[in-house]
Amino acid sequence: MTISNLSSRIPGFHRMTTAERLEAVAAFSGLDGATVAQLGAPGNIDPHLADHMIENVVSTLSIPIGIATNLRVDGKDVLVPMATEESSVVAAVCNSARQCYETGGFVTSVSGNLMIAQVQLVGVPDPHGARLRILERRDEVAAICDGCDPMLVQLGGGFREMEVRVVPSLGGPMVVTHLIVDTRDAMGANAVNTMAETLAPSIERWTGGRVLLRILSNLADRRVARARATWPAEAIGGAGVRDGMIAAYHFAEADPYRAATHNKGIMNGVSAVVLATGNDTRAVEAGAHAYAARDGRYTSLTRWEAGADGALVGAIELPLPVGLVGGATKIHPTARACLKILGVTTAAELARIIAAVGLAQNFGAMKALATTGIQQGHMALHANNVAIAAGAVGEEVARLAATLVERRAVRQDVAVAELERMRGARTA
Ligand code: MEV
Protein backbone atom coordinates (compact mmCIF):
# COMPACT_ATOMS: atom_id res chain seq x y z
CA MET A 1 0.00 0.00 0.00
CA THR A 2 1.28 3.46 -0.84
CA ILE A 3 1.12 5.65 2.24
CA SER A 4 0.38 9.20 1.18
CA ASN A 5 1.08 12.24 3.31
CA LEU A 6 -1.21 14.34 1.15
CA SER A 7 -4.56 15.44 2.53
CA SER A 8 -7.81 13.72 1.56
CA ARG A 9 -9.46 17.13 1.87
CA ILE A 10 -9.33 18.20 -1.77
CA PRO A 11 -11.09 21.56 -2.18
CA GLY A 12 -13.56 21.68 -5.06
CA PHE A 13 -13.05 18.00 -5.93
CA HIS A 14 -16.71 17.60 -6.86
CA ARG A 15 -16.51 20.57 -9.24
CA MET A 16 -13.51 19.18 -11.19
CA THR A 17 -13.80 17.38 -14.52
CA THR A 18 -13.40 13.60 -14.48
CA ALA A 19 -9.86 13.95 -15.86
CA GLU A 20 -8.89 16.53 -13.24
CA ARG A 21 -10.22 14.32 -10.46
CA LEU A 22 -8.30 11.36 -11.81
CA GLU A 23 -5.15 13.47 -11.86
CA ALA A 24 -5.71 14.46 -8.23
CA VAL A 25 -6.30 10.84 -7.20
CA ALA A 26 -3.21 9.72 -9.11
CA ALA A 27 -1.12 12.31 -7.25
CA PHE A 28 -2.59 11.32 -3.89
CA SER A 29 -2.20 7.55 -4.38
CA GLY A 30 0.99 7.65 -6.44
CA LEU A 31 -0.60 5.87 -9.42
CA ASP A 32 1.65 5.01 -12.36
CA GLY A 33 0.82 5.93 -15.96
CA ALA A 34 -0.57 2.49 -16.83
CA THR A 35 -2.97 2.57 -13.88
CA VAL A 36 -4.14 6.08 -14.78
CA ALA A 37 -4.62 5.00 -18.40
CA GLN A 38 -6.65 1.99 -17.24
CA LEU A 39 -8.92 4.16 -15.10
CA GLY A 40 -9.22 6.78 -17.85
CA ALA A 41 -10.22 4.32 -20.59
CA PRO A 42 -13.86 4.80 -21.51
CA GLY A 43 -16.14 1.78 -21.06
CA ASN A 44 -19.44 1.42 -22.88
CA ILE A 45 -20.87 4.40 -21.10
CA ASP A 46 -20.38 8.04 -22.05
CA PRO A 47 -18.08 9.62 -19.42
CA HIS A 48 -20.42 12.62 -19.22
CA LEU A 49 -23.33 10.34 -18.42
CA ALA A 50 -21.27 8.54 -15.76
CA ASP A 51 -20.33 11.92 -14.29
CA HIS A 52 -24.01 12.79 -13.93
CA MET A 53 -25.10 9.45 -12.52
CA ILE A 54 -23.06 9.65 -9.31
CA GLU A 55 -20.71 12.09 -7.62
CA ASN A 56 -16.92 12.51 -7.84
CA VAL A 57 -16.59 10.17 -10.82
CA VAL A 58 -13.08 9.19 -11.94
CA SER A 59 -13.74 6.00 -13.91
CA THR A 60 -16.18 3.21 -14.71
CA LEU A 61 -16.02 -0.53 -14.00
CA SER A 62 -17.05 -2.91 -16.75
CA ILE A 63 -18.58 -6.20 -15.66
CA PRO A 64 -19.12 -8.99 -18.20
CA ILE A 65 -22.69 -9.57 -19.38
CA GLY A 66 -23.40 -13.21 -20.25
CA ILE A 67 -26.61 -14.48 -21.82
CA ALA A 68 -28.56 -17.25 -20.14
CA THR A 69 -30.08 -19.51 -22.78
CA ASN A 70 -32.67 -22.32 -22.63
CA LEU A 71 -35.16 -20.33 -20.55
CA ARG A 72 -38.84 -20.74 -21.27
CA VAL A 73 -40.95 -18.52 -19.02
CA ASP A 74 -44.74 -18.73 -19.13
CA GLY A 75 -44.63 -20.45 -22.48
CA LYS A 76 -42.29 -17.93 -24.10
CA ASP A 77 -38.58 -18.39 -24.79
CA VAL A 78 -36.36 -15.60 -23.49
CA LEU A 79 -32.67 -14.77 -23.58
CA VAL A 80 -31.58 -13.31 -20.26
CA PRO A 81 -28.63 -10.92 -19.88
CA MET A 82 -26.73 -11.43 -16.62
CA ALA A 83 -24.04 -9.02 -15.38
CA THR A 84 -21.68 -10.78 -13.01
CA GLU A 85 -18.00 -11.14 -12.21
CA GLU A 86 -18.46 -14.73 -10.95
CA SER A 87 -17.70 -17.66 -13.24
CA SER A 88 -20.18 -20.59 -13.36
CA VAL A 89 -23.22 -18.41 -12.63
CA VAL A 90 -24.41 -18.03 -16.23
CA ALA A 91 -23.50 -21.62 -17.14
CA ALA A 92 -25.49 -22.93 -14.16
CA VAL A 93 -28.67 -21.14 -15.28
CA CYS A 94 -28.27 -22.40 -18.87
CA ASN A 95 -27.85 -26.01 -17.67
CA SER A 96 -30.67 -25.86 -15.13
CA ALA A 97 -33.10 -24.30 -17.61
CA ARG A 98 -32.20 -26.90 -20.25
CA GLN A 99 -33.15 -29.71 -17.87
CA CYS A 100 -36.70 -28.37 -17.37
CA TYR A 101 -37.26 -27.00 -20.89
CA GLU A 102 -39.16 -30.08 -22.09
CA THR A 103 -41.57 -29.92 -19.14
CA GLY A 104 -42.51 -26.37 -20.11
CA GLY A 105 -39.87 -24.36 -18.27
CA PHE A 106 -40.98 -21.87 -15.64
CA VAL A 107 -44.45 -20.79 -14.61
CA THR A 108 -44.49 -17.43 -12.88
CA SER A 109 -46.77 -14.88 -11.25
CA VAL A 110 -46.57 -11.64 -9.29
CA SER A 111 -48.55 -10.27 -6.37
CA GLY A 112 -48.66 -6.75 -7.85
CA ASN A 113 -46.57 -3.59 -8.13
CA LEU A 114 -47.21 -2.32 -4.61
CA MET A 115 -44.47 -0.47 -2.74
CA ILE A 116 -44.61 0.56 0.91
CA ALA A 117 -43.46 3.89 2.36
CA GLN A 118 -43.13 4.30 6.12
CA VAL A 119 -43.80 7.41 8.19
CA GLN A 120 -42.44 7.21 11.74
CA LEU A 121 -44.33 9.23 14.36
CA VAL A 122 -42.98 9.70 17.88
CA GLY A 123 -43.91 11.71 20.95
CA VAL A 124 -47.64 10.95 21.02
CA PRO A 125 -49.06 10.33 24.50
CA ASP A 126 -51.92 8.19 23.11
CA PRO A 127 -50.41 6.10 20.28
CA HIS A 128 -53.52 3.94 19.87
CA GLY A 129 -55.78 6.99 19.65
CA ALA A 130 -53.33 8.59 17.20
CA ARG A 131 -53.39 5.43 15.09
CA LEU A 132 -57.14 5.71 14.68
CA ARG A 133 -56.97 9.45 14.01
CA ILE A 134 -54.68 8.70 11.06
CA LEU A 135 -56.82 5.81 9.79
CA GLU A 136 -59.92 8.07 9.89
CA ARG A 137 -58.18 10.36 7.33
CA ARG A 138 -57.83 7.68 4.64
CA ASP A 139 -59.44 9.80 1.91
CA GLU A 140 -57.26 12.81 2.73
CA VAL A 141 -54.18 10.58 2.77
CA ALA A 142 -55.13 9.17 -0.63
CA ALA A 143 -55.63 12.67 -2.06
CA ILE A 144 -52.31 13.96 -0.69
CA CYS A 145 -50.41 10.94 -2.03
CA ASP A 146 -52.03 10.96 -5.46
CA GLY A 147 -51.54 14.75 -5.65
CA CYS A 148 -47.78 14.15 -5.49
CA ASP A 149 -47.70 12.20 -8.74
CA PRO A 150 -50.55 12.90 -11.19
CA MET A 151 -48.58 11.17 -13.95
CA LEU A 152 -48.45 7.94 -11.96
CA VAL A 153 -52.21 8.18 -11.35
CA GLN A 154 -52.77 8.78 -15.07
CA LEU A 155 -50.83 5.57 -15.77
CA GLY A 156 -53.19 3.65 -13.48
CA GLY A 157 -51.01 3.73 -10.36
CA GLY A 158 -51.12 5.71 -7.14
CA PHE A 159 -52.27 5.29 -3.55
CA ARG A 160 -54.02 1.99 -2.83
CA GLU A 161 -54.31 1.60 0.92
CA MET A 162 -52.69 2.32 4.25
CA GLU A 163 -51.85 0.49 7.42
CA VAL A 164 -51.04 2.11 10.75
CA ARG A 165 -49.23 0.15 13.44
CA VAL A 166 -48.20 0.91 17.00
CA VAL A 167 -44.65 -0.42 17.19
CA PRO A 168 -43.09 -0.94 20.63
CA SER A 169 -39.47 0.29 20.60
CA LEU A 170 -36.58 1.01 22.95
CA GLY A 171 -37.71 4.64 23.00
CA GLY A 172 -41.36 3.83 23.70
CA PRO A 173 -44.27 3.13 21.34
CA MET A 174 -44.13 4.76 17.94
CA VAL A 175 -46.92 5.04 15.40
CA VAL A 176 -45.84 3.82 11.98
CA THR A 177 -47.96 4.59 8.93
CA HIS A 178 -47.52 2.48 5.81
CA LEU A 179 -48.55 4.04 2.52
CA ILE A 180 -49.18 1.30 0.00
CA VAL A 181 -48.76 2.59 -3.52
CA ASP A 182 -49.00 1.03 -6.96
CA THR A 183 -45.90 2.31 -8.73
CA ARG A 184 -46.64 0.51 -12.04
CA ASP A 185 -43.47 0.12 -14.13
CA ALA A 186 -41.27 2.21 -11.85
CA MET A 187 -39.33 0.71 -8.97
CA GLY A 188 -41.05 3.56 -7.19
CA ALA A 189 -38.63 4.69 -4.49
CA ASN A 190 -38.82 8.35 -5.51
CA ALA A 191 -42.60 8.31 -5.88
CA VAL A 192 -43.30 6.82 -2.44
CA ASN A 193 -40.61 8.82 -0.65
CA THR A 194 -42.12 12.04 -1.99
CA MET A 195 -45.57 10.94 -0.80
CA ALA A 196 -44.27 10.12 2.69
CA GLU A 197 -42.49 13.47 2.98
CA THR A 198 -45.50 15.41 1.72
CA LEU A 199 -47.90 13.65 4.09
CA ALA A 200 -45.74 14.10 7.21
CA PRO A 201 -46.96 17.59 8.31
CA SER A 202 -50.59 16.44 8.08
CA ILE A 203 -49.88 13.41 10.28
CA GLU A 204 -48.26 15.72 12.83
CA ARG A 205 -51.31 17.99 12.77
CA TRP A 206 -53.79 15.15 13.17
CA THR A 207 -51.92 13.51 16.05
CA GLY A 208 -49.90 16.20 17.86
CA GLY A 209 -46.81 13.98 17.46
CA ARG A 210 -43.52 14.50 15.68
CA VAL A 211 -42.65 12.78 12.41
CA LEU A 212 -39.08 11.57 12.02
CA LEU A 213 -38.33 9.12 9.20
CA ARG A 214 -40.21 9.16 5.89
CA ILE A 215 -38.83 6.49 3.59
CA LEU A 216 -39.78 3.38 1.62
CA SER A 217 -39.43 -0.09 3.11
CA ASN A 218 -37.18 -2.47 1.24
CA LEU A 219 -39.20 -5.34 2.64
CA ALA A 220 -41.40 -5.07 -0.45
CA ASP A 221 -43.70 -7.93 0.53
CA ARG A 222 -46.54 -6.50 -1.58
CA ARG A 223 -44.38 -6.86 -4.68
CA VAL A 224 -43.56 -10.53 -4.62
CA ALA A 225 -42.63 -12.57 -7.70
CA ARG A 226 -43.04 -16.33 -7.84
CA ALA A 227 -41.72 -19.04 -10.14
CA ARG A 228 -42.09 -22.81 -10.22
CA ALA A 229 -40.72 -25.54 -12.46
CA THR A 230 -40.64 -29.31 -12.75
CA TRP A 231 -37.56 -31.39 -13.45
CA PRO A 232 -38.30 -35.04 -14.37
CA ALA A 233 -36.19 -37.34 -12.22
CA GLU A 234 -34.66 -39.00 -15.32
CA ALA A 235 -33.57 -35.60 -16.71
CA ILE A 236 -31.53 -34.86 -13.61
CA GLY A 237 -29.80 -38.19 -13.04
CA GLY A 238 -32.50 -40.19 -11.23
CA ALA A 239 -34.36 -40.38 -7.93
CA GLY A 240 -31.11 -40.47 -5.93
CA VAL A 241 -30.08 -37.05 -7.23
CA ARG A 242 -33.60 -35.71 -6.65
CA ASP A 243 -33.61 -36.91 -3.04
CA GLY A 244 -30.12 -35.52 -2.44
CA MET A 245 -31.32 -32.13 -3.69
CA ILE A 246 -34.41 -32.26 -1.48
CA ALA A 247 -32.20 -33.09 1.51
CA ALA A 248 -30.00 -30.10 0.56
CA TYR A 249 -33.12 -27.93 0.64
CA HIS A 250 -34.15 -29.38 4.02
CA PHE A 251 -30.73 -28.33 5.33
CA ALA A 252 -31.26 -24.73 4.14
CA GLU A 253 -34.80 -24.70 5.46
CA ALA A 254 -33.64 -25.77 8.93
CA ASP A 255 -30.33 -23.96 9.40
CA PRO A 256 -29.69 -20.23 8.90
CA TYR A 257 -25.95 -20.85 8.36
CA ARG A 258 -26.80 -22.94 5.33
CA ALA A 259 -29.79 -20.79 4.31
CA ALA A 260 -27.50 -17.74 3.96
CA THR A 261 -25.33 -19.58 1.41
CA HIS A 262 -28.30 -21.21 -0.32
CA ASN A 263 -29.92 -17.77 -0.74
CA LYS A 264 -26.62 -16.20 -1.78
CA GLY A 265 -26.58 -18.67 -4.65
CA ILE A 266 -30.11 -17.62 -5.62
CA MET A 267 -29.06 -13.98 -5.52
CA ASN A 268 -26.11 -14.77 -7.82
CA GLY A 269 -28.72 -15.09 -10.54
CA VAL A 270 -31.22 -12.53 -9.31
CA SER A 271 -28.69 -9.72 -8.77
CA ALA A 272 -27.00 -10.40 -12.12
CA VAL A 273 -30.23 -9.66 -14.01
CA VAL A 274 -31.10 -6.79 -11.68
CA LEU A 275 -27.69 -5.22 -12.39
CA ALA A 276 -27.81 -5.87 -16.15
CA THR A 277 -31.12 -4.00 -16.33
CA GLY A 278 -29.84 -1.03 -14.31
CA ASN A 279 -31.99 -1.81 -11.28
CA ASP A 280 -31.05 -1.41 -7.62
CA THR A 281 -29.25 -4.60 -6.53
CA ARG A 282 -29.10 -3.52 -2.88
CA ALA A 283 -32.85 -2.92 -2.68
CA VAL A 284 -33.56 -6.36 -4.08
CA GLU A 285 -30.93 -8.06 -1.88
CA ALA A 286 -32.21 -6.35 1.29
CA GLY A 287 -35.80 -7.25 0.47
CA ALA A 288 -34.97 -10.86 -0.34
CA HIS A 289 -33.08 -11.51 2.88
CA ALA A 290 -35.64 -9.69 5.04
CA TYR A 291 -38.37 -11.75 3.34
CA ALA A 292 -36.42 -14.93 4.07
CA ALA A 293 -36.64 -14.01 7.77
CA ARG A 294 -40.23 -12.76 7.76
CA ASP A 295 -41.47 -15.46 10.17
CA GLY A 296 -38.77 -14.63 12.71
CA ARG A 297 -36.33 -17.29 11.51
CA TYR A 298 -34.06 -16.88 8.48
CA THR A 299 -34.75 -19.66 5.99
CA SER A 300 -34.67 -20.68 2.32
CA LEU A 301 -36.28 -18.52 -0.38
CA THR A 302 -37.04 -21.68 -2.38
CA ARG A 303 -38.94 -24.89 -1.65
CA TRP A 304 -38.24 -28.27 -3.20
CA GLU A 305 -40.37 -31.42 -3.16
CA ALA A 306 -41.07 -34.60 -5.13
CA GLY A 307 -44.25 -34.48 -7.24
CA ALA A 308 -46.75 -37.34 -7.64
CA ASP A 309 -44.88 -38.60 -10.73
CA GLY A 310 -41.55 -38.55 -8.90
CA ALA A 311 -40.34 -35.36 -10.58
CA LEU A 312 -38.48 -32.67 -8.67
CA VAL A 313 -40.67 -29.61 -8.17
CA GLY A 314 -39.08 -26.30 -7.23
CA ALA A 315 -40.74 -23.03 -6.19
CA ILE A 316 -39.39 -19.59 -5.33
CA GLU A 317 -41.06 -16.51 -3.89
CA LEU A 318 -39.29 -13.23 -3.15
CA PRO A 319 -39.88 -9.47 -3.30
CA LEU A 320 -38.71 -8.08 -6.65
CA PRO A 321 -39.03 -4.31 -6.69
CA VAL A 322 -37.63 -3.62 -10.15
CA GLY A 323 -38.62 -1.05 -12.75
CA LEU A 324 -38.33 -0.24 -16.42
CA VAL A 325 -38.52 3.54 -16.06
CA GLY A 326 -36.47 5.92 -13.96
CA GLY A 327 -32.92 5.80 -12.66
CA ALA A 328 -30.16 3.88 -14.40
CA THR A 329 -32.73 1.62 -16.07
CA LYS A 330 -33.78 4.54 -18.22
CA ILE A 331 -30.48 6.33 -18.79
CA HIS A 332 -27.79 3.64 -18.94
CA PRO A 333 -27.57 2.61 -22.60
CA THR A 334 -26.40 -0.91 -21.76
CA ALA A 335 -29.30 -1.42 -19.33
CA ARG A 336 -31.68 -0.31 -22.07
CA ALA A 337 -30.05 -2.73 -24.48
CA CYS A 338 -30.44 -5.56 -21.95
CA LEU A 339 -34.14 -4.74 -21.59
CA LYS A 340 -34.43 -4.96 -25.38
CA ILE A 341 -32.81 -8.42 -25.32
CA LEU A 342 -35.34 -9.50 -22.69
CA GLY A 343 -38.21 -8.04 -24.70
CA VAL A 344 -40.15 -7.11 -21.56
CA THR A 345 -42.71 -4.32 -21.62
CA THR A 346 -43.70 -4.23 -17.94
CA ALA A 347 -41.84 -4.30 -14.63
CA ALA A 348 -43.93 -7.30 -13.61
CA GLU A 349 -42.70 -9.30 -16.63
CA LEU A 350 -39.12 -8.48 -15.69
CA ALA A 351 -39.71 -9.54 -12.08
CA ARG A 352 -41.18 -12.86 -13.23
CA ILE A 353 -38.17 -13.65 -15.42
CA ILE A 354 -35.81 -12.76 -12.56
CA ALA A 355 -37.67 -15.12 -10.22
CA ALA A 356 -37.25 -17.91 -12.80
CA VAL A 357 -33.51 -17.19 -13.00
CA GLY A 358 -33.26 -17.33 -9.19
CA LEU A 359 -34.93 -20.73 -9.13
CA ALA A 360 -32.73 -22.06 -11.95
CA GLN A 361 -29.63 -20.80 -10.16
CA ASN A 362 -30.65 -22.56 -6.97
CA PHE A 363 -31.35 -25.79 -8.87
CA GLY A 364 -27.86 -25.68 -10.40
CA ALA A 365 -26.09 -25.08 -7.10
CA MET A 366 -28.06 -27.74 -5.23
CA LYS A 367 -27.56 -30.33 -7.94
CA ALA A 368 -23.82 -29.76 -8.00
CA LEU A 369 -23.59 -29.72 -4.20
CA ALA A 370 -25.67 -32.88 -3.81
CA THR A 371 -23.61 -34.77 -6.41
CA THR A 372 -20.04 -33.94 -7.49
CA GLY A 373 -19.63 -30.79 -5.39
CA ILE A 374 -19.24 -27.38 -6.97
CA GLN A 375 -15.48 -27.22 -7.23
CA GLN A 376 -15.12 -29.47 -10.26
CA GLY A 377 -17.34 -27.39 -12.55
CA HIS A 378 -16.49 -24.09 -10.90
CA MET A 379 -12.76 -24.62 -11.07
CA ALA A 380 -12.90 -25.57 -14.74
CA LEU A 381 -14.41 -22.15 -15.47
CA HIS A 382 -12.39 -20.33 -12.83
CA ALA A 383 -9.17 -21.71 -14.38
CA ASN A 384 -9.43 -19.10 -17.14
CA ASN A 385 -9.33 -16.30 -14.54
CA VAL A 386 -6.35 -17.88 -12.80
CA ALA A 387 -4.55 -18.23 -16.14
CA ILE A 388 -5.16 -14.56 -16.99
CA ALA A 389 -4.06 -13.46 -13.50
CA ALA A 390 -0.83 -15.43 -14.00
CA GLY A 391 -0.12 -13.40 -17.15
CA ALA A 392 -1.40 -15.67 -19.92
CA VAL A 393 -2.50 -13.87 -23.10
CA GLY A 394 -4.29 -14.89 -26.30
CA GLU A 395 -4.32 -18.60 -26.95
CA GLU A 396 -2.16 -19.22 -23.86
CA VAL A 397 -5.25 -18.67 -21.68
CA ALA A 398 -7.22 -21.73 -22.83
CA ARG A 399 -4.10 -23.93 -22.95
CA LEU A 400 -2.94 -22.97 -19.49
CA ALA A 401 -6.47 -23.28 -18.04
CA ALA A 402 -6.80 -26.79 -19.52
CA THR A 403 -3.45 -27.79 -18.01
CA LEU A 404 -4.46 -26.51 -14.56
CA VAL A 405 -7.74 -28.45 -14.67
CA GLU A 406 -6.01 -31.59 -15.91
CA ARG A 407 -3.47 -31.36 -13.09
CA ARG A 408 -6.31 -30.66 -10.63
CA ALA A 409 -4.33 -27.65 -9.43
CA VAL A 410 -6.22 -24.46 -10.31
CA ARG A 411 -3.83 -22.31 -8.31
CA GLN A 412 -1.97 -19.10 -8.95
CA ASP A 413 1.50 -20.47 -8.06
CA VAL A 414 1.02 -23.49 -10.32
CA ALA A 415 -0.30 -21.26 -13.11
CA VAL A 416 2.76 -18.98 -12.98
CA ALA A 417 5.18 -21.93 -13.02
CA GLU A 418 3.27 -23.72 -15.77
CA LEU A 419 3.10 -20.56 -17.93
CA GLU A 420 6.85 -20.12 -17.59
CA ARG A 421 7.36 -23.77 -18.58
CA MET A 422 5.01 -23.38 -21.59
CA ARG A 423 6.82 -20.27 -22.79
CA GLY A 424 10.23 -21.85 -22.17
CA ALA A 425 9.25 -24.92 -24.21
CA ARG A 426 8.14 -22.65 -27.07
CA THR A 427 11.39 -20.66 -27.24
CA ALA A 428 13.64 -23.74 -26.71
C1 MEV B 1 -21.48 -19.67 -4.78
O1 MEV B 1 -21.38 -18.36 -5.29
C2 MEV B 1 -22.94 -20.04 -4.52
C3 MEV B 1 -23.14 -21.40 -3.79
O2 MEV B 1 -22.38 -21.40 -2.61
C4 MEV B 1 -24.61 -21.50 -3.51
C5 MEV B 1 -24.99 -22.66 -2.61
O3 MEV B 1 -24.17 -23.12 -1.80
O4 MEV B 1 -26.16 -23.08 -2.70
C6 MEV B 1 -22.66 -22.54 -4.67
Side-chain angles (χ1 to χ4, degrees):
M1 190 172 88
T2 309
I3 308 291
S4 171
N5 54 11
L6 295 170
S7 173
S8 66
R9 291 182 56 74
I10 307 174
F13 190 74
H14 68 284
R15 281 191 298 273
M16 292 178 184
T17 65
T18 307
E20 286 164 350
R21 281 187 215 118
L22 182 52
E23 207 177 298
V25 171
F28 181 92
S29 303
L31 304 182
D32 60 25
T35 308
V36 172
Q38 170 61 31
L39 288 168
N44 61 0
I45 176 172
D46 182 333
H48 297 292
L49 176 57
D51 200 22
H52 285 98
M53 282 178 76
I54 66 162
E55 310 72 43
N56 291 357
V57 168
V58 295
S59 184
T60 57
L61 174 73
S62 297
I63 298 286
I65 295 174
I67 298 291
T69 56
N70 304 328
L71 277 120
R72 171 160 273 240
V73 180
D74 299 314
K76 193 172 151 220
D77 283 27
V78 278
L79 293 179
V80 183
M82 301 176 70
T84 179
E85 85 302 340
E86 185 170 336
S87 51
S88 307
V89 163
V90 177
V93 172
C94 299
N95 288 331
S96 306
R98 182 177 42 75
Q99 291 167 59
C100 69
Y101 187 87
E102 295 306 332
T103 51
F106 301 84
V107 179
T108 70
S109 57
V110 284
S111 65
N113 294 318
L114 299 179
M115 294 299 284
I116 300 168
Q118 297 190 291
V119 182
Q120 176 201 20
L121 180 75
V122 296
V124 269
D126 58 338
H128 292 280
R131 174 176 174 268
L132 295 202
R133 291 201 289 286
I134 300 169
L135 284 169
E136 285 156 17
R137 302 315 216 280
R138 187 196 180 280
D139 291 348
E140 279 167 81
V141 171
I144 292 169
C145 291
D146 285 344
C148 292
D149 203 334
M151 179 64 107
L152 179 63
V153 175
Q154 214 179 318
L155 292 168
F159 176 88
R160 289 291 179 270
E161 56 177 298
M162 71 176 180
E163 284 169 343
V164 187
R165 297 179 300 138
V166 177
V167 177
S169 80
L170 293 175
M174 47 184 70
V175 183
V176 179
T177 302
H178 282 189
L179 306 172
I180 297 160
V181 180
D182 186 335
T183 61
R184 308 304 285 177
D185 291 321
M187 186 275 195
N190 284 331
V192 300
N193 289 343
T194 302
M195 290 176 187
E197 291 191 3
T198 308
L199 182 66
S202 303
I203 290 190
E204 289 184 335
R205 217 175 41 251
W206 298 331
T207 61
R210 194 160 48 92
V211 165
L212 288 176
L213 274 55
R214 297 140 295 162
I215 186 77
L216 94 167
S217 169
N218 283 123
L219 176 49
D221 61 0
R222 306 280 191 126
R223 204 171 189 175
V224 164
R226 309 180 188 97
R228 64 182 169 86
T230 300
W231 283 264
E234 57 283 6
I236 63 171
V241 173
R242 177 200 65 205
D243 293 344
M245 292 176 69
I246 292 175
Y249 155 61
H250 290 167
F251 184 12
E253 198 284 328
D255 177 18
Y257 284 91
R258 172 58 205 151
T261 321
H262 179 95
N263 290 342
K264 187 274 181 184
I266 293 169
M267 300 313 285
N268 276 345
V270 168
S271 296
V273 188
V274 172
L275 183 60
T277 55
N279 276 288
D280 183 340
T281 51
R282 289 82 55 217
V284 173
E285 294 272 351
H289 294 292
Y291 194 71
R294 68 193 178 283
D295 295 328
R297 183 172 68 85
Y298 185 83
T299 188
S300 169
L301 286 166
T302 52
R303 291 176 199 281
W304 295 91
E305 53 205 354
D309 55 358
L312 178 68
V313 180
I316 187 169
E317 188 174 294
L318 78 168
L320 272 168
V322 289
L324 302 185
V325 295
T329 309
K330 188 78 180 170
I331 60 173
H332 197 300
T334 309
R336 298 240 42 95
C338 287
L339 287 169
K340 280 190 188 155
I341 295 172
L342 282 160
V344 290
T345 54
T346 65
E349 270 180 82
L350 175 60
R352 291 158 75 139
I353 292 172
I354 296 174
V357 169
L359 184 63
Q361 197 79 61
N362 188 223
F363 171 93
M366 287 205 318
K367 186 174 177 209
L369 288 165
T371 55
T372 52
I374 62 154
Q375 285 310 82
Q376 194 178 308
H378 183 69
M379 279 307 181
L381 294 169
H382 183 57
N384 285 323
N385 295 341
V386 175
I388 292 166
V393 287
E395 58 86 32
E396 286 175 343
V397 177
R399 263 186 63 208
L400 180 55
T403 310
L404 298 177
V405 171
E406 201 180 301
R407 287 189 48 190
R408 290 180 168 272
V410 184
R411 292 199 334 247
Q412 191 67 24
D413 55 335
V414 180
V416 170
E418 198 56 45
L419 182 62
E420 218 168 276
R421 196 193 57 73
M422 266 168 54
R423 285 178 177 168
R426 236 189 353 237
T427 51

